[in-house]
PDB file of all heavy atoms in Angstrom:
ATOM      1  N   LEU G  49     130.453  82.784 109.795  1.00 98.00           N
ATOM      2  CA  LEU G  49     130.512  81.383 110.180  1.00 98.00           C
ATOM      3  C   LEU G  49     131.566  80.648 109.388  1.00 98.00           C
ATOM      4  O   LEU G  49     132.307  79.771 109.952  1.00 98.00           O
ATOM      5  CB  LEU G  49     129.084  80.698 109.900  1.00 98.00           C
ATOM      6  CG  LEU G  49     127.956  81.082 110.823  1.00 98.00           C
ATOM      7  CD1 LEU G  49     126.632  80.624 110.244  1.00 98.00           C
ATOM      8  CD2 LEU G  49     128.194  80.445 112.211  1.00 98.00           C
ATOM      9  N   TYR G  50     131.759  81.021 108.149  1.00 97.00           N
ATOM     10  CA  TYR G  50     132.724  80.359 107.336  1.00 97.00           C
ATOM     11  C   TYR G  50     134.129  80.684 107.886  1.00 97.00           C
ATOM     12  O   TYR G  50     134.989  79.803 108.024  1.00 97.00           O
ATOM     13  CB  TYR G  50     132.631  80.879 105.900  1.00 97.00           C
ATOM     14  CG  TYR G  50     133.814  80.536 105.043  1.00 97.00           C
ATOM     15  CD1 TYR G  50     134.007  79.206 104.631  1.00 97.00           C
ATOM     16  CD2 TYR G  50     134.740  81.471 104.700  1.00 97.00           C
ATOM     17  CE1 TYR G  50     135.100  78.855 103.901  1.00 97.00           C
ATOM     18  CE2 TYR G  50     135.891  81.146 103.945  1.00 97.00           C
ATOM     19  CZ  TYR G  50     136.074  79.813 103.513  1.00 97.00           C
ATOM     20  OH  TYR G  50     137.140  79.463 102.765  1.00 97.00           O
ATOM     21  N   ALA G  51     134.352  81.942 108.264  1.00 97.00           N
ATOM     22  CA  ALA G  51     135.622  82.372 108.798  1.00 97.00           C
ATOM     23  C   ALA G  51     136.023  81.560 110.014  1.00 97.00           C
ATOM     24  O   ALA G  51     137.181  81.191 110.271  1.00 97.00           O
ATOM     25  CB  ALA G  51     135.663  83.864 109.090  1.00 97.00           C
ATOM     26  N   LYS G  52     135.004  81.208 110.791  1.00 97.00           N
ATOM     27  CA  LYS G  52     135.205  80.410 112.014  1.00 97.00           C
ATOM     28  C   LYS G  52     135.330  78.922 111.693  1.00 97.00           C
ATOM     29  O   LYS G  52     135.718  78.142 112.589  1.00 97.00           O
ATOM     30  CB  LYS G  52     134.018  80.658 112.951  1.00 97.00           C
ATOM     31  CG  LYS G  52     134.089  79.938 114.264  1.00 97.00           C
ATOM     32  CD  LYS G  52     134.971  80.555 115.268  1.00 97.00           C
ATOM     33  CE  LYS G  52     135.055  79.806 116.551  1.00 97.00           C
ATOM     34  NZ  LYS G  52     136.081  80.309 117.494  1.00 97.00           N
ATOM     35  N   GLY G  53     134.927  78.535 110.464  1.00 97.00           N
ATOM     36  CA  GLY G  53     134.971  77.128 110.084  1.00 97.00           C
ATOM     37  C   GLY G  53     133.721  76.380 110.452  1.00 97.00           C
ATOM     38  O   GLY G  53     133.687  75.175 110.478  1.00 97.00           O
ATOM     39  N   TRP G  54     132.667  77.121 110.751  1.00 97.00           N
ATOM     40  CA  TRP G  54     131.443  76.482 111.334  1.00 97.00           C
ATOM     41  C   TRP G  54     130.212  76.622 110.406  1.00 97.00           C
ATOM     42  O   TRP G  54     129.125  76.413 110.798  1.00 97.00           O
ATOM     43  CB  TRP G  54     131.083  77.161 112.654  1.00 97.00           C
ATOM     44  CG  TRP G  54     131.950  76.770 113.776  1.00 97.00           C
ATOM     45  CD1 TRP G  54     132.959  75.858 113.750  1.00 97.00           C
ATOM     46  CD2 TRP G  54     131.856  77.278 115.111  1.00 97.00           C
ATOM     47  NE1 TRP G  54     133.545  75.791 114.971  1.00 97.00           N
ATOM     48  CE2 TRP G  54     132.949  76.595 115.850  1.00 97.00           C
ATOM     49  CE3 TRP G  54     131.076  78.187 115.769  1.00 97.00           C
ATOM     50  CZ2 TRP G  54     133.169  76.838 117.212  1.00 97.00           C
ATOM     51  CZ3 TRP G  54     131.278  78.398 117.127  1.00 97.00           C
ATOM     52  CH2 TRP G  54     132.327  77.743 117.831  1.00 97.00           C
ATOM     53  N   VAL G  55     130.465  76.934 109.133  1.00 97.00           N
ATOM     54  CA  VAL G  55     129.316  77.190 108.272  1.00 97.00           C
ATOM     55  C   VAL G  55     128.602  75.907 107.773  1.00 97.00           C
ATOM     56  O   VAL G  55     127.471  75.927 107.369  1.00 97.00           O
ATOM     57  CB  VAL G  55     129.712  78.082 107.106  1.00 97.00           C
ATOM     58  CG1 VAL G  55     130.441  77.351 105.993  1.00 97.00           C
ATOM     59  CG2 VAL G  55     128.471  78.854 106.502  1.00 97.00           C
ATOM     60  N   ALA G  56     129.370  74.757 107.786  1.00 95.00           N
ATOM     61  CA  ALA G  56     128.796  73.563 107.171  1.00 95.00           C
ATOM     62  C   ALA G  56     129.000  72.363 108.043  1.00 95.00           C
ATOM     63  O   ALA G  56     129.698  71.412 107.659  1.00 95.00           O
ATOM     64  CB  ALA G  56     129.514  73.349 105.799  1.00 95.00           C
ATOM     65  N   PRO G  57     128.340  72.300 109.201  1.00 92.00           N
ATOM     66  CA  PRO G  57     128.502  71.237 110.157  1.00 92.00           C
ATOM     67  C   PRO G  57     128.170  69.869 109.464  1.00 92.00           C
ATOM     68  O   PRO G  57     128.651  68.857 109.939  1.00 92.00           O
ATOM     69  CB  PRO G  57     127.572  71.551 111.263  1.00 92.00           C
ATOM     70  CG  PRO G  57     127.357  73.004 111.202  1.00 92.00           C
ATOM     71  CD  PRO G  57     127.403  73.372 109.764  1.00 92.00           C
ATOM     72  N   GLY G  58     127.300  69.924 108.495  1.00 88.00           N
ATOM     73  CA  GLY G  58     126.841  68.656 107.886  1.00 88.00           C
ATOM     74  C   GLY G  58     127.828  68.062 106.868  1.00 88.00           C
ATOM     75  O   GLY G  58     127.641  66.925 106.379  1.00 88.00           O
ATOM     76  N   TRP G  59     128.842  68.789 106.474  1.00 93.00           N
ATOM     77  CA  TRP G  59     129.733  68.334 105.436  1.00 93.00           C
ATOM     78  C   TRP G  59     130.914  67.503 105.980  1.00 93.00           C
ATOM     79  O   TRP G  59     131.242  67.658 107.139  1.00 93.00           O
ATOM     80  CB  TRP G  59     130.405  69.531 104.650  1.00 93.00           C
ATOM     81  CG  TRP G  59     129.478  70.395 103.869  1.00 93.00           C
ATOM     82  CD1 TRP G  59     128.147  70.521 104.008  1.00 93.00           C
ATOM     83  CD2 TRP G  59     129.857  71.249 102.821  1.00 93.00           C
ATOM     84  NE1 TRP G  59     127.646  71.436 103.114  1.00 93.00           N
ATOM     85  CE2 TRP G  59     128.708  71.891 102.350  1.00 93.00           C
ATOM     86  CE3 TRP G  59     131.098  71.584 102.223  1.00 93.00           C
ATOM     87  CZ2 TRP G  59     128.745  72.836 101.299  1.00 93.00           C
ATOM     88  CZ3 TRP G  59     131.130  72.507 101.182  1.00 93.00           C
ATOM     89  CH2 TRP G  59     129.962  73.096 100.711  1.00 93.00           C
ATOM     90  N   PRO G  60     131.465  66.588 105.142  1.00 93.00           N
ATOM     91  CA  PRO G  60     132.656  65.901 105.551  1.00 93.00           C
ATOM     92  C   PRO G  60     133.760  66.895 105.897  1.00 93.00           C
ATOM     93  O   PRO G  60     133.897  67.950 105.300  1.00 93.00           O
ATOM     94  CB  PRO G  60     133.049  65.042 104.348  1.00 93.00           C
ATOM     95  CG  PRO G  60     131.865  65.036 103.440  1.00 93.00           C
ATOM     96  CD  PRO G  60     131.053  66.268 103.765  1.00 93.00           C
ATOM     97  N   LYS G  61     134.603  66.505 106.915  1.00 94.00           N
ATOM     98  CA  LYS G  61     135.557  67.487 107.345  1.00 94.00           C
ATOM     99  C   LYS G  61     136.537  67.924 106.274  1.00 94.00           C
ATOM    100  O   LYS G  61     136.883  69.110 106.159  1.00 94.00           O
ATOM    101  CB  LYS G  61     136.343  66.813 108.536  1.00 94.00           C
ATOM    102  CG  LYS G  61     137.127  67.827 109.358  1.00 94.00           C
ATOM    103  CD  LYS G  61     137.478  67.208 110.749  1.00 94.00           C
ATOM    104  CE  LYS G  61     138.160  68.162 111.645  1.00 94.00           C
ATOM    105  NZ  LYS G  61     138.776  69.312 111.389  1.00 94.00           N
TER     106      LYS G  61
END
Side-chain angles (χ1 to χ4, degrees):
Chain G
L49 287 166
Y50 169 72
K52 179 79 182 172
W54 286 358
V55 77
W59 294 22
K61 198 160 184 345

